[in-house]
Amino acid sequence: MSERKVLNKYFPPDFDPAAIPRRKQAKDAQHKVRLMTPYAMRCDTCGEYIYKGKKFNARKETVEGETYYSIKIFRFYIKCPRCSAEITFKTDPRNTDYVAEHGAQRNFEPWREERLAGEESKLLKELEEENNPMKALENRTIDSKIEMDVLDALDEIRTRNARNERVDADALLDKLVDQDIVKEKSQEELLEEEDSKLAKAIFHNVDGDSVKRIADDDEPDLKQLLSDSAKSLLLPKFSSNAKNDEEGSLAKRKQKRPGSELGVVVKKRKQASTTSSPIKVESSNLSNTTSTTINIDPNSSNKISNSLGALLGAYGSGSDNDD
């Protein structure tokens, strides 16, 4: 099976390439090529702007009678994309550029003008040096001086870069921070000095003596000077709930006392220790209250036990009546 893409072709043994007739072409023959515009231009017919790099189907031909050191110069034909007017430009091997010939004008390019001006000044300088040797010597001394200045500038840049490479970044940052701190302190000192000057101007008279305020005879109360919000913060308000809590705590304390569970309150009368001391006993209940007075002889224990029994009996009778 033969190859899809043939790389080697068959040549018969009696093949003679000189026997092949050469095709004759005219010297001004044109070829169709695909190109991109080498510079930005503007059509002279319709004013359409054609930017650099726009693709065109162009015709190429060799310019007759124009060469640059045996280098051929070519001309290209394109059409304006808006009005289809013919635009031509040709190569410029001397300046390695293209030259607008017909149908369009090249846009202004400042770097191109500077280059052309530099080349013209260089040509004029060469012409002067050919006829004037002293002028040539002056130009050489000026050029050498400029070259020395450039070298000195390069050496300075190299030394500065080497010095910057040796600098520690942390130390540099610390130095900057210290400078900021010193600057802030100086600003604070200036502000304090201004405040002191202002205070001195206000509280000192012309002679330099300090002016003091005379104290009032009747100084107001501090609470009167406070606002309502400040008074509420300093003096807390006791609500009804707080009072109820206090009453509940007092009731609990009374219940913990001995004898309070029976509802008995014993009151002693102060008398001489030699005589018998009468004790009044009150039994309290929710509905009524019964009171009993008992004379207790401190020398008799039996009487004390009997009085306690009577007290308990009185409490029991009071509870029965309540039921």
Side-chain angles (χ1 to χ4, degrees):
M1 187 174 179
S2 61
E3 295 180 1
R4 186 174 64 86
K5 291 184 178 180
V6 180
L7 300 177
N8 297 324
K9 296 184 179 180
Y10 173 74
F11 292 96
D14 56 349
F15 176 72
D16 186 8
I20 298 173
R22 300 187 65 180
R23 186 175 58 178
K24 294 181 179 181
Q25 294 181 354
K27 292 183 179 181
D28 56 350
Q30 296 180 352
H31 305 279
K32 291 183 180 180
V33 292
R34 181 78 171 173
L35 57 79
M36 292 187 294
T37 51
Y39 53 85
M41 63 185 80
R42 183 186 181 191
C43 180
D44 294 337
T45 305
C46 64
E48 177 72 10
Y49 284 97
I50 302 171
Y51 57 87
K52 181 180 178 180
K54 187 175 178 64
K55 293 183 178 180
F56 286 94
N57 292 324
R59 292 178 287 115
K60 184 184 78 170
E61 69 177 7
T62 306
V63 180
E64 295 181 1
E66 292 185 15
T67 56
Y68 178 74
Y69 293 109
S70 70
I71 298 174
K72 293 182 180 180
I73 296 173
F74 299 98
R75 183 182 288 114
F76 298 93
Y77 298 87
I78 60 174
K79 290 184 178 181
C80 176
R82 184 177 180 182
C83 64
S84 298
E86 192 174 57
I87 300 171
T88 61
F89 55 90
K90 60 182 180 181
T91 58
D92 185 9
R94 180 179 179 179
N95 299 316
T96 63
D97 201 358
Y98 291 84
V99 179
E101 190 176 19
H102 176 71
Q105 293 181 359
R106 186 170 183 169
N107 291 350
F108 177 74
E109 296 171 352
W111 56 87
R112 181 168 169 267
E113 297 295 330
E114 290 176 0
R115 187 185 64 183
L116 293 176
E119 290 178 355
E120 290 178 358
S121 64
K122 188 177 179 179
L123 290 175
L124 293 173
K125 187 177 179 180
E126 289 177 355
L127 292 174
E128 289 178 356
E129 290 178 356
E130 287 180 358
N131 301 324
N132 191 353
M134 293 300 294
K135 188 69 174 178
L137 181 60
E138 290 177 0
N139 292 336
R140 282 197 295 270
T141 54
I142 292 170
D143 293 340
S144 62
K145 185 178 179 181
I146 292 170
E147 188 176 357
M148 292 294 291
D149 294 340
V150 171
L151 292 174
D152 292 339
L154 288 174
D155 292 337
E156 185 179 357
I157 291 169
R158 289 194 187 98
T159 54
R160 185 170 64 249
N161 292 337
R163 185 171 61 253
N164 292 335
E165 288 177 358
R166 291 193 299 269
V167 172
D168 188 8
D170 296 334
L172 183 61
L173 291 174
D174 294 339
K175 186 176 180 180
L176 293 174
V177 170
D178 294 338
Q179 290 178 358
D180 293 339
I181 292 171
V182 171
K183 188 176 180 180
E184 289 178 358
K185 287 183 178 179
S186 63
Q187 289 179 356
E188 290 177 358
E189 290 176 357
L190 289 173
L191 291 174
E192 290 178 358
E193 187 176 356
E194 290 178 358
D195 293 339
S196 63
K197 288 181 180 179
L198 182 61
K200 188 175 181 181
I202 293 172
F203 297 106
H204 287 73
N205 55 13
V206 180
D207 298 334
D209 299 331
S210 60
V211 179
K212 295 183 179 180
R213 184 177 65 86
I214 299 173
D216 298 333
D217 296 334
D218 298 331
E219 293 185 356
D221 190 6
L222 294 176
K223 293 181 181 179
Q224 295 178 2
L225 300 176
L226 295 176
S227 62
D228 296 336
S229 60
K231 288 179 181 178
S232 63
L233 293 174
L234 293 176
L235 302 174
K237 295 180 180 179
F238 295 98
S239 60
S240 60
N241 294 329
K243 292 182 179 179
N244 295 332
D245 294 340
E246 290 182 358
E247 292 175 357
S249 62
L250 291 174
K252 288 181 180 179
R253 290 176 185 175
K254 289 181 179 179
Q255 289 177 3
K256 289 182 180 179
R257 292 178 181 175
S260 61
E261 295 177 356
L262 300 175
V264 178
V265 180
V266 179
K267 295 183 180 179
K268 276 188 177 183
R269 291 180 182 178
K270 293 182 179 180
Q271 292 182 2
S273 60
T274 56
T275 60
S276 62
S277 58
I279 299 173
K280 185 178 182 181
V281 179
E282 294 180 359
S283 62
S284 61
N285 202 351
L286 296 174
S287 61
N288 55 4
T289 303
T290 59
S291 63
T292 305
T293 303
I294 303 170
N295 294 323
I296 300 173
D297 189 1
N299 297 323
S300 178
S301 61
N302 294 326
K303 291 181 180 181
I304 294 171
S305 61
N306 292 330
S307 63
L308 289 175
L311 178 65
L312 293 174
Y315 176 75
S317 63
S319 62
D320 293 336
N321 294 326
D322 294 336
D323 294 334

